[in-house]
Each structure stands twice: as C-alpha cells, then as structure tokens.
Amino acid sequence: MLDINQLRYTYQPQHQHEHPMPLSFNFSLQQGDIAALIGPSGAGKSSLLALIAGFLQPDSGDISIHQQSIITQDPAQRPLSMLFQEHNLFPHLTVYENIALGVDPRLKLSAQQQQHVRDAAVNVGLEAYLTRLPEQLSGGQRQRVALARCLIRQRPLLLLDEPFSALDPALRNDMLKLVQQLAQQQAITVLMITHSPDDAKKIANKCIFVDNGEVKAFGNIDTLLNQPQQLDLRHYLGLTTI
Ligand SMILES: Nc1ncnc2c1ncn2[C@@H]1O[C@H](COP(=O)(O)OP(=O)(O)OP(=O)(O)O)[C@@H](O)[C@H]1O
C-alpha cells in the first residue's frame, strides 16, 4: 500500500563544525497495517514523515501509495492525513468547523456533509462539544477533534507524530484504542512515531526501528520488541548493559 523505495535526503550543515546528516529509507506497508516508528532522538523519524507528507523533497528515490507515485504531488494533494503533537486546530474556529475543514476548506458543506461532520464527532465522543472553541477543551478532547478531521478526509494513510504523548496514561490508552478501532473500520494504514514501546505494542502489528537516518530493523512488532536481535535495537530498548 505504502512503498518507500530507496528514499534519500541529506540535511546540509548549517555551520562549519557540523556534518551533513544523510537519511535513507526503504520499506513497504500493507493496507491496514499499523506501524510503530521507533528509534532514538535525532534518528530521522520526523524527517521520514515530513518526506512522506511532502514537506521535504527527497534528493532521490520514490514514495508510492497504492502503486501510484506521490513524489511530485503537493502536500495537500497527497492521499494522507497527518496529526502532530499540538497546533492541529484553528483556535478561532469551533469544534464543528475544525472538523468540517477536513471536508471543505471553505466550510461550504451540503446537508449530507454536515451530517458526516456530526457523525465524525460522535465517533470520537465529542457530539456534545460541537459549538466549543479549542481553548474550551482539554488536551485529549482537542486531539480527538484533530483525529476526527483526519478521518473525515478518508485518506488511506494516517501519519501520527506523537500526537498523544502529552496525555496522561489512561487517556493515551483510550486514544490509541480509538485510532486502532477507527483505522480498522475504515481500512486505513497508520504510521505512528512513538517513544513508548508499550504504546507501540498496544496498537501496532508492524514495527520500524530507525537509527542514524536508516531503517535498521523492520517486521512484526512482537518479534521485534519481544525478541530483538540487533544490538542497536537492544541498546535502544535498554536491554544491554554498558
Ligand atoms: N532543518 C534541519 N536542518 C538540519 N538538520 C536537521 C533539520 N531537521 C532535523 N535535522 C537533523 O536531522 C536528524 C533527524 O532529525 P529528526 O527530527 O527527523 O529526528 P527524530 O528521530 O524525529 O528525533 P526526535 O525523536 O527527537 O523527534 C537530526 O540529527 C536532526 O538534528
């Protein structure tokens, strides 16, 4: 479903004492996969999502979704949605309007589309909050609104850049379950950055371990996290002694 084919990008040094940071990715996901993207800080996880979303232009390689290359498409045209840790919502728009933006950026919705927005709010448990502004919501509720907007766009790929890491453990659990349930319902493929192997195990079936700008391990999540073979992955998981 998602094919990342010999994708390369190099951050050029900004100062004399710095070195270039080359990134190189190669892997594929099947439709309906939920893949956890793990790896140390600075490994290249956010950069990989930025390349897929089209915020960074690769030096070489290709990205395709359902066998169609998306590499020349603008970020808004790409068949994907993305959820960040914060700043997902427009503060001056209501919950209803923030979700409706996923249907039409001009907010001109038909009666049927208006119903879709209300249905999306029901799906994330926010039907009673449609007229509130983001500042009148908790952090978890705000992320639910943002998730509803992603899902109403009905794009086949959902990219998550640690959207729930600021939430407390119980709420984070609820959100992970919600993503899993809604992704299954809509057969959406999910690629999720997380710093928590426990969170990864809760919803993902695949795992991608990125280290030093490369995919160092890829496969079934239970195999990778319960019986890690690579030394650098074992080190990342805190299973080696120094
Ligand atoms: N705009 C930039 N210019 C130069 N180097 C950058 C830039 N953005 C990121 N980098 C470097 O690229 C590498 C990968 O960064 P990236 O943010 O993708 O890592 P990450 O795995 O998402 O880290 P974290 O888990 O801390 O968010 C890092 O070494 C970082 O310093």
Side-chain angles (χ1 to χ4, degrees):
M1 179 278 166
L2 172 68
D3 292 302
I4 306 291
N5 193 358
Q6 309 293 344
L7 195 68
R8 289 181 208 285
Y9 181 82
T10 299
Y11 284 113
Q12 296 305 330
Q14 310 285 312
H15 302 285
Q16 241 176 0
H17 64 276
E18 290 177 350
H19 298 287
M21 171 74 193
L23 306 168
S24 167
F25 303 106
N26 200 41
F27 65 91
S28 294
L29 296 180
Q30 308 295 317
Q31 181 170 0
D33 273 345
I34 299 186
L37 187 55
I38 62 168
S41 184
K45 304 179 296 296
S46 295
S47 304
L48 171 59
L49 292 201
L51 283 162
I52 299 173
F55 304 135
L56 282 179
Q57 273 308 316
D59 302 328
S60 61
D62 199 12
I63 304 169
S64 36
I65 292 182
H66 291 316
Q67 276 87 46
Q68 296 264 321
S69 175
I70 59 165
I71 212 88
T72 56
Q73 293 179 347
D74 289 338
Q77 292 177 314
R78 296 191 179 199
L80 54 87
S81 300
M82 188 160 177
L83 194 56
F84 300 93
Q85 194 170 343
E86 49 190 18
H87 306 306
N88 291 295
L89 302 182
F90 289 91
H92 60 290
L93 299 181
T94 63
V95 167
Y96 174 89
E97 289 165 331
N98 266 290
I99 299 175
L101 279 178
V103 181
D104 179 4
R106 294 160 306 150
L107 294 176
K108 301 232 179 305
L109 273 61
S110 66
Q112 194 185 21
Q113 288 171 325
Q114 291 174 21
Q115 188 55 45
H116 285 162
V117 173
R118 287 191 287 271
D119 293 343
V122 171
N123 273 338
V124 298
L126 285 181
E127 62 274 27
Y129 297 81
L130 284 169
T131 56
R132 289 207 192 177
L133 291 171
E135 67 184 15
Q136 298 166 320
L137 301 174
S138 70
Q141 289 166 338
R142 279 199 286 273
Q143 291 304 64
R144 280 171 190 261
V145 177
L147 181 63
R149 187 179 60 214
C150 284
L151 294 170
I152 207 169
R153 299 177 75 211
Q154 298 198 308
R155 307 271 164 121
L157 178 66
L158 177 62
L159 304 177
L160 303 177
D161 195 347
E162 294 190 82
F164 314 130
S165 57
L167 306 179
D168 66 45
L171 206 50
R172 211 164 70 220
N173 245 344
D174 291 348
M175 291 302 292
L176 291 171
K177 279 197 198 126
L178 187 63
V179 168
Q180 188 182 41
Q181 180 198 331
L182 297 174
Q184 267 168 7
Q185 269 170 22
Q186 301 187 20
I188 288 174
T189 307
V190 180
L191 181 55
M192 172 182 92
I193 295 179
T194 177
H195 280 279
S196 160
D198 285 340
D199 282 1
K201 283 188 213 167
K202 274 178 199 144
I203 74 161
N205 62 320
K206 298 258 176 76
C207 185
I208 305 168
F209 172 61
V210 173
D211 190 18
N212 206 14
E214 281 180 42
V215 175
K216 293 278 177 67
F218 172 80
N220 177 282
I221 188 126
D222 293 325
T223 317
L224 230 68
L225 295 186
N226 295 339
Q227 303 143 30
Q229 303 294 322
Q230 289 92 338
L231 191 62
D232 37 16
L233 175 56
R234 293 177 60 79
H235 187 62
Y236 169 72
L237 293 170
L239 300 174
T240 51
T241 45
I242 300 167

PDB file of all heavy atoms in Angstrom, residues 11-16 18:
ATOM      1  N   TYR A  11      20.362  16.458   5.066  1.00  0.00           N
ATOM      2  CA  TYR A  11      20.374  17.802   5.650  1.00  0.00           C
ATOM      3  C   TYR A  11      21.787  18.345   5.511  1.00  0.00           C
ATOM      4  O   TYR A  11      22.743  17.709   5.968  1.00  0.00           O
ATOM      5  CB  TYR A  11      20.035  17.748   7.147  1.00  0.00           C
ATOM      6  CG  TYR A  11      18.580  17.540   7.451  1.00  0.00           C
ATOM      7  CD1 TYR A  11      18.139  16.359   8.044  1.00  0.00           C
ATOM      8  CD2 TYR A  11      17.647  18.535   7.204  1.00  0.00           C
ATOM      9  CE1 TYR A  11      16.802  16.165   8.357  1.00  0.00           C
ATOM     10  CE2 TYR A  11      16.304  18.348   7.512  1.00  0.00           C
ATOM     11  CZ  TYR A  11      15.898  17.168   8.092  1.00  0.00           C
ATOM     12  OH  TYR A  11      14.575  16.988   8.402  1.00  0.00           O
ATOM     13  N   GLN A  12      21.918  19.497   4.866  1.00  0.00           N
ATOM     14  CA  GLN A  12      23.250  20.089   4.726  1.00  0.00           C
ATOM     15  C   GLN A  12      23.600  20.821   6.020  1.00  0.00           C
ATOM     16  O   GLN A  12      22.726  21.340   6.697  1.00  0.00           O
ATOM     17  CB  GLN A  12      23.283  21.065   3.539  1.00  0.00           C
ATOM     18  CG  GLN A  12      23.033  20.390   2.197  1.00  0.00           C
ATOM     19  CD  GLN A  12      23.985  19.228   1.918  1.00  0.00           C
ATOM     20  OE1 GLN A  12      25.136  19.226   2.386  1.00  0.00           O
ATOM     21  NE2 GLN A  12      23.527  18.220   1.193  1.00  0.00           N
ATOM     22  N   PRO A  13      24.891  20.845   6.373  1.00  0.00           N
ATOM     23  CA  PRO A  13      25.285  21.518   7.619  1.00  0.00           C
ATOM     24  C   PRO A  13      24.973  23.020   7.565  1.00  0.00           C
ATOM     25  O   PRO A  13      25.104  23.638   6.514  1.00  0.00           O
ATOM     26  CB  PRO A  13      26.795  21.272   7.691  1.00  0.00           C
ATOM     27  CG  PRO A  13      27.198  20.661   6.418  1.00  0.00           C
ATOM     28  CD  PRO A  13      25.995  20.244   5.651  1.00  0.00           C
ATOM     29  N   GLN A  14      24.512  23.536   8.701  1.00  0.00           N
ATOM     30  CA  GLN A  14      24.199  24.965   8.786  1.00  0.00           C
ATOM     31  C   GLN A  14      25.427  25.760   9.239  1.00  0.00           C
ATOM     32  O   GLN A  14      25.528  26.941   8.996  1.00  0.00           O
ATOM     33  CB  GLN A  14      23.070  25.202   9.813  1.00  0.00           C
ATOM     34  CG  GLN A  14      21.853  24.310   9.617  1.00  0.00           C
ATOM     35  CD  GLN A  14      21.014  24.772   8.438  1.00  0.00           C
ATOM     36  OE1 GLN A  14      20.714  25.940   8.311  1.00  0.00           O
ATOM     37  NE2 GLN A  14      20.655  23.837   7.557  1.00  0.00           N
ATOM     38  N   HIS A  15      26.335  25.077   9.938  1.00  0.00           N
ATOM     39  CA  HIS A  15      27.536  25.752  10.460  1.00  0.00           C
ATOM     40  C   HIS A  15      28.770  24.944  10.081  1.00  0.00           C
ATOM     41  O   HIS A  15      28.667  23.750   9.788  1.00  0.00           O
ATOM     42  CB  HIS A  15      27.453  25.882  11.990  1.00  0.00           C
ATOM     43  CG  HIS A  15      26.235  26.632  12.429  1.00  0.00           C
ATOM     44  ND1 HIS A  15      26.123  27.989  12.314  1.00  0.00           N
ATOM     45  CD2 HIS A  15      25.066  26.188  12.940  1.00  0.00           C
ATOM     46  CE1 HIS A  15      24.923  28.364  12.755  1.00  0.00           C
ATOM     47  NE2 HIS A  15      24.256  27.290  13.136  1.00  0.00           N
ATOM     48  N   GLN A  16      29.926  25.582  10.144  1.00  0.00           N
ATOM     49  CA  GLN A  16      31.172  24.953   9.688  1.00  0.00           C
ATOM     50  C   GLN A  16      31.519  23.663  10.435  1.00  0.00           C
ATOM     51  O   GLN A  16      31.992  22.700   9.840  1.00  0.00           O
ATOM     52  CB  GLN A  16      32.318  25.946   9.843  1.00  0.00           C
ATOM     53  CG  GLN A  16      32.959  26.250   8.518  1.00  0.00           C
ATOM     54  CD  GLN A  16      34.028  27.314   8.662  1.00  0.00           C
ATOM     55  OE1 GLN A  16      34.284  27.832   9.754  1.00  0.00           O
ATOM     56  NE2 GLN A  16      34.654  27.649   7.552  1.00  0.00           N
ATOM     57  N   GLU A  18      29.566  21.505  11.701  1.00  0.00           N
ATOM     58  CA  GLU A  18      28.579  20.421  11.602  1.00  0.00           C
ATOM     59  C   GLU A  18      28.854  19.531  10.393  1.00  0.00           C
ATOM     60  O   GLU A  18      29.505  19.942   9.439  1.00  0.00           O
ATOM     61  CB  GLU A  18      27.168  21.009  11.468  1.00  0.00           C
ATOM     62  CG  GLU A  18      26.687  21.672  12.744  1.00  0.00           C
ATOM     63  CD  GLU A  18      25.314  22.306  12.572  1.00  0.00           C
ATOM     64  OE1 GLU A  18      24.813  22.406  11.428  1.00  0.00           O
ATOM     65  OE2 GLU A  18      24.762  22.725  13.582  1.00  0.00           O
TER      66      GLU A  18
END
